Amino acid sequence: MDDVLIVVSLVLVAAAATAAVLVRDPARQALVLSMLGLALAVLFTVLQAPDVALSQLAVGSALTPLLLLLSVRKVRRRGRTRTEDPPKDPAKGQTG
């Protein structure tokens, strides 16, 4: 029974890791990365390492994806404000 749980957990981790690599949108990558962290936490629990599983839940499933989502949001917001700036008039000596 234990071997079956380990194999299922490993397959779940492999599927989540493959999905994290294949997804192109950074916001979706962060969500898939969160699922990968959850799958790893399950694997660590099955392998009888609950302390590592709790650390993985905190860091891999919550903190890292949150930081990535906040970074993506800031980069997208910064890009939006730069494209919304009015064009400068070259006749007046202003360059864009």
Side-chain angles (χ1 to χ4, degrees):
M1 182 66 180
D2 288 336
D3 292 338
V4 174
L5 284 175
I6 292 172
V7 170
V8 169
S9 299
L10 284 172
V11 169
L12 185 63
V13 168
T18 303
V21 171
L22 294 178
V23 172
R24 292 289 185 194
D25 181 38
R28 289 186 182 170
Q29 277 180 342
L31 294 175
V32 174
L33 182 65
S34 178
M35 295 311 235
L36 174 60
L38 183 62
L40 282 169
V42 169
L43 176 65
F44 293 143
T45 303
V46 169
L47 293 175
Q48 298 178 355
D51 52 341
V52 180
L54 286 173
S55 298
Q56 180 62 35
L57 274 175
V59 176
S61 298
L63 188 63
T64 303
L66 177 65
L67 289 174
L68 285 172
L69 283 173
L70 291 173
S71 299
V72 167
R73 180 178 164 196
K74 187 165 190 161
V75 167
R76 285 185 179 169
R77 184 179 290 172
R78 213 177 258 179
R80 218 179 294 138
T81 57
R82 286 185 181 167
T83 58
E84 292 174 356
D85 287 343
K88 304 292 181 177
D89 187 9
K92 295 182 180 178
Q94 298 173 339
T95 58

